[in-house]
Amino acid sequence: DIQLTQSPSFLSASVGDRVTITCRASQDISSYLAWYQQKPGRAPKLVIYGASTLQSGVPSRFSGSGSGTEFTLTISSLQPEDFATYYCQQLDSYPRTFGQGTKVDVK
Amino acid sequence: QVQLQESGPGLVKPSETLSLTCTVSGGSLSTSYWSWIRQPPGKGLEWIGYVYYSGSTKYNPSLKGRVTISIDTSKKQFSLTLSSVTAADTAMYYCARDDLYCGGASCREVLDYWGQGTLVTVTS
């Protein structure tokens, strides 16, 4: 199985901050990576797929980059509604696997 | 707008079988893959498996043959059964649409619509 490691696991930030989360894959997954946002008590929500394609309806302050084994999710200016846990997921092979999550909370 | 809703018992006894159903509205089951994902309390996400509208399936080997996912397109439902459950199977169970996107030379599926989830607790 492909292992995904996110860093950091926890991140404290303030509204307006630029936030970057990294996801590293245990083998080359090309650009087959998605990012999800999950708020407490809610289902995950798709943010980015194909490493860099913004899901419809997601604000443009979110962006994704990377290929191969290293990927990043960036929030250019953190908004109050962005405090959540973010997961990466590899779409390259089965079984599909997720990173352990990065919780973004208030500084 | 595609909507998914999980249903099923919230409590299951150890060694018994967990059964959940996902009802889809606002879209056709005949165009996508349909997946189950679970999340133990306070932990991360685990992909369980998918069913295609044709009935073909793929499962996570970590579940060691205990899982079956089926589909009934006429009822706009797909279902999960997990046998011989233990406390380790206690989790929020989500159903989701696994829709195809194409980029570059290949196409892949991504979980674009999710149900709200249903908590299943394994307890005697």
Short mmCIF file of all heavy atoms in Angstrom, two decimals, chain A residues 4-10 21-22 35-36 84-88 98-104, chain B residues 43-45:
data_model
loop_
_atom_site.label_atom_id
_atom_site.label_comp_id
_atom_site.label_asym_id
_atom_site.label_seq_id
_atom_site.Cartn_x
_atom_site.Cartn_y
_atom_site.Cartn_z
N LEU A 4 1.05 7.70 2.93
CA LEU A 4 1.08 9.16 2.81
C LEU A 4 1.37 9.76 4.18
O LEU A 4 0.72 9.40 5.16
CB LEU A 4 -0.26 9.68 2.30
CG LEU A 4 -0.69 9.25 0.90
CD1 LEU A 4 -2.05 9.83 0.56
CD2 LEU A 4 0.32 9.69 -0.15
N THR A 5 2.35 10.65 4.23
CA THR A 5 2.73 11.29 5.48
C THR A 5 2.54 12.78 5.35
O THR A 5 3.17 13.42 4.48
CB THR A 5 4.20 10.97 5.84
OG1 THR A 5 4.38 9.55 5.88
CG2 THR A 5 4.56 11.58 7.17
N GLN A 6 1.69 13.34 6.19
CA GLN A 6 1.44 14.77 6.17
C GLN A 6 2.28 15.47 7.23
O GLN A 6 2.53 14.92 8.31
CB GLN A 6 -0.04 15.06 6.44
CG GLN A 6 -0.95 14.62 5.32
CD GLN A 6 -2.41 14.95 5.59
OE1 GLN A 6 -3.28 14.11 5.46
NE2 GLN A 6 -2.71 16.20 5.96
N SER A 7 2.69 16.69 6.92
CA SER A 7 3.37 17.52 7.92
C SER A 7 2.97 18.97 7.74
O SER A 7 2.78 19.44 6.62
CB SER A 7 4.90 17.35 7.79
OG SER A 7 5.31 17.74 6.51
N PRO A 8 2.78 19.69 8.87
CA PRO A 8 2.80 19.12 10.22
C PRO A 8 1.49 18.38 10.52
O PRO A 8 0.56 18.43 9.72
CB PRO A 8 2.94 20.36 11.08
CG PRO A 8 2.18 21.41 10.33
CD PRO A 8 2.45 21.12 8.87
N SER A 9 1.41 17.72 11.65
CA SER A 9 0.15 17.10 12.07
C SER A 9 -0.77 18.14 12.70
O SER A 9 -2.00 17.98 12.66
CB SER A 9 0.42 15.98 13.07
OG SER A 9 1.12 14.92 12.43
N PHE A 10 -0.19 19.16 13.31
CA PHE A 10 -0.96 20.25 13.92
C PHE A 10 -0.33 21.56 13.51
O PHE A 10 0.90 21.68 13.41
CB PHE A 10 -0.98 20.13 15.44
CG PHE A 10 -1.62 18.87 15.94
CD1 PHE A 10 -0.84 17.75 16.21
CD2 PHE A 10 -2.98 18.78 16.12
CE1 PHE A 10 -1.41 16.57 16.65
CE2 PHE A 10 -3.57 17.60 16.57
CZ PHE A 10 -2.79 16.49 16.83
N ILE A 21 0.58 23.03 3.88
CA ILE A 21 0.59 21.66 4.41
C ILE A 21 1.24 20.77 3.35
O ILE A 21 0.98 20.92 2.15
CB ILE A 21 -0.85 21.17 4.67
CG1 ILE A 21 -1.54 22.07 5.71
CG2 ILE A 21 -0.85 19.72 5.13
CD1 ILE A 21 -3.03 21.85 5.81
N THR A 22 2.10 19.87 3.80
CA THR A 22 2.83 18.98 2.90
C THR A 22 2.35 17.56 3.04
O THR A 22 2.00 17.10 4.14
CB THR A 22 4.34 19.05 3.19
OG1 THR A 22 4.79 20.38 2.95
CG2 THR A 22 5.11 18.08 2.31
N TRP A 35 -7.01 16.53 -1.99
CA TRP A 35 -7.05 17.11 -0.65
C TRP A 35 -8.51 17.27 -0.22
O TRP A 35 -9.35 17.71 -1.01
CB TRP A 35 -6.37 18.47 -0.63
CG TRP A 35 -4.89 18.45 -0.82
CD1 TRP A 35 -4.20 18.64 -1.99
CD2 TRP A 35 -3.90 18.28 0.19
NE1 TRP A 35 -2.84 18.58 -1.76
CE2 TRP A 35 -2.64 18.36 -0.43
CE3 TRP A 35 -3.95 18.06 1.58
CZ2 TRP A 35 -1.43 18.23 0.28
CZ3 TRP A 35 -2.78 17.92 2.28
CH2 TRP A 35 -1.53 18.01 1.64
N TYR A 36 -8.78 16.95 1.05
CA TYR A 36 -10.11 17.10 1.62
C TYR A 36 -10.02 17.96 2.88
O TYR A 36 -9.02 17.91 3.61
CB TYR A 36 -10.71 15.74 2.00
CG TYR A 36 -10.85 14.79 0.84
CD1 TYR A 36 -9.82 13.95 0.48
CD2 TYR A 36 -12.04 14.74 0.10
CE1 TYR A 36 -9.93 13.09 -0.60
CE2 TYR A 36 -12.17 13.88 -0.98
CZ TYR A 36 -11.11 13.05 -1.33
OH TYR A 36 -11.23 12.19 -2.39
N ALA A 84 -9.91 23.71 10.31
CA ALA A 84 -10.42 22.38 10.03
C ALA A 84 -9.25 21.41 9.99
O ALA A 84 -8.09 21.82 10.17
CB ALA A 84 -11.14 22.36 8.68
N THR A 85 -9.55 20.15 9.75
CA THR A 85 -8.51 19.16 9.51
C THR A 85 -8.48 18.85 8.01
O THR A 85 -9.52 18.69 7.38
CB THR A 85 -8.78 17.88 10.32
OG1 THR A 85 -8.80 18.20 11.72
CG2 THR A 85 -7.70 16.83 10.07
N TYR A 86 -7.27 18.76 7.48
CA TYR A 86 -7.08 18.52 6.05
C TYR A 86 -6.40 17.16 5.85
O TYR A 86 -5.44 16.83 6.56
CB TYR A 86 -6.24 19.64 5.43
CG TYR A 86 -6.99 20.95 5.44
CD1 TYR A 86 -6.96 21.78 6.57
CD2 TYR A 86 -7.75 21.36 4.35
CE1 TYR A 86 -7.67 22.96 6.61
CE2 TYR A 86 -8.46 22.54 4.37
CZ TYR A 86 -8.43 23.33 5.51
OH TYR A 86 -9.14 24.51 5.54
N TYR A 87 -6.93 16.40 4.89
CA TYR A 87 -6.39 15.09 4.56
C TYR A 87 -5.98 15.04 3.10
O TYR A 87 -6.72 15.53 2.23
CB TYR A 87 -7.42 13.99 4.79
CG TYR A 87 -7.83 13.77 6.22
CD1 TYR A 87 -8.92 14.42 6.77
CD2 TYR A 87 -7.11 12.88 7.04
CE1 TYR A 87 -9.30 14.20 8.09
CE2 TYR A 87 -7.49 12.66 8.36
CZ TYR A 87 -8.58 13.33 8.88
OH TYR A 87 -8.94 13.11 10.18
N CYS A 88 -4.85 14.42 2.82
CA CYS A 88 -4.52 14.10 1.43
C CYS A 88 -4.90 12.63 1.18
O CYS A 88 -5.01 11.83 2.13
CB CYS A 88 -3.05 14.33 1.12
SG CYS A 88 -1.85 13.45 2.15
N PHE A 98 -5.11 7.44 2.74
CA PHE A 98 -5.16 8.83 3.17
C PHE A 98 -3.95 9.14 4.04
O PHE A 98 -3.41 8.24 4.72
CB PHE A 98 -6.41 9.09 4.01
CG PHE A 98 -7.72 8.98 3.26
CD1 PHE A 98 -8.35 7.75 3.13
CD2 PHE A 98 -8.31 10.10 2.70
CE1 PHE A 98 -9.56 7.65 2.45
CE2 PHE A 98 -9.52 10.02 2.03
CZ PHE A 98 -10.15 8.78 1.90
N GLY A 99 -3.56 10.41 4.07
CA GLY A 99 -2.62 10.86 5.07
C GLY A 99 -3.31 10.87 6.44
O GLY A 99 -4.53 10.73 6.55
N GLN A 100 -2.51 11.09 7.47
CA GLN A 100 -3.04 11.03 8.84
C GLN A 100 -3.80 12.29 9.24
O GLN A 100 -4.45 12.31 10.29
CB GLN A 100 -1.89 10.76 9.84
CG GLN A 100 -1.11 11.99 10.27
CD GLN A 100 -0.03 12.42 9.27
OE1 GLN A 100 0.00 11.98 8.12
NE2 GLN A 100 0.87 13.28 9.73
N GLY A 101 -3.72 13.33 8.41
CA GLY A 101 -4.45 14.56 8.69
C GLY A 101 -3.58 15.66 9.27
O GLY A 101 -2.58 15.39 9.96
N THR A 102 -3.95 16.89 8.98
CA THR A 102 -3.32 18.08 9.56
C THR A 102 -4.42 18.96 10.12
O THR A 102 -5.31 19.40 9.37
CB THR A 102 -2.52 18.86 8.51
OG1 THR A 102 -1.44 18.08 8.04
CG2 THR A 102 -2.00 20.17 9.10
N LYS A 103 -4.38 19.17 11.42
CA LYS A 103 -5.39 20.02 12.05
C LYS A 103 -4.91 21.45 12.08
O LYS A 103 -3.82 21.74 12.62
CB LYS A 103 -5.71 19.53 13.47
CG LYS A 103 -6.83 20.32 14.13
CD LYS A 103 -7.21 19.74 15.48
CE LYS A 103 -8.36 20.51 16.09
NZ LYS A 103 -8.76 19.96 17.41
N VAL A 104 -5.68 22.34 11.51
CA VAL A 104 -5.36 23.76 11.51
C VAL A 104 -6.27 24.43 12.53
O VAL A 104 -7.50 24.44 12.36
CB VAL A 104 -5.56 24.39 10.12
CG1 VAL A 104 -5.26 25.88 10.15
CG2 VAL A 104 -4.69 23.67 9.09
N LYS B 43 -9.88 9.59 14.88
CA LYS B 43 -8.79 9.10 14.03
C LYS B 43 -8.99 9.50 12.57
O LYS B 43 -9.88 10.28 12.24
CB LYS B 43 -8.68 7.58 14.17
CG LYS B 43 -8.29 7.14 15.58
CD LYS B 43 -7.97 5.67 15.64
CE LYS B 43 -7.52 5.28 17.04
NZ LYS B 43 -7.19 3.84 17.14
N GLY B 44 -8.15 8.95 11.70
CA GLY B 44 -8.17 9.31 10.30
C GLY B 44 -9.12 8.45 9.47
O GLY B 44 -9.87 7.64 9.98
N LEU B 45 -9.04 8.65 8.17
CA LEU B 45 -9.96 8.04 7.21
C LEU B 45 -9.39 6.75 6.64
O LEU B 45 -8.19 6.65 6.35
CB LEU B 45 -10.22 9.03 6.06
CG LEU B 45 -10.85 10.35 6.48
CD1 LEU B 45 -10.66 11.40 5.39
CD2 LEU B 45 -12.33 10.16 6.78
#
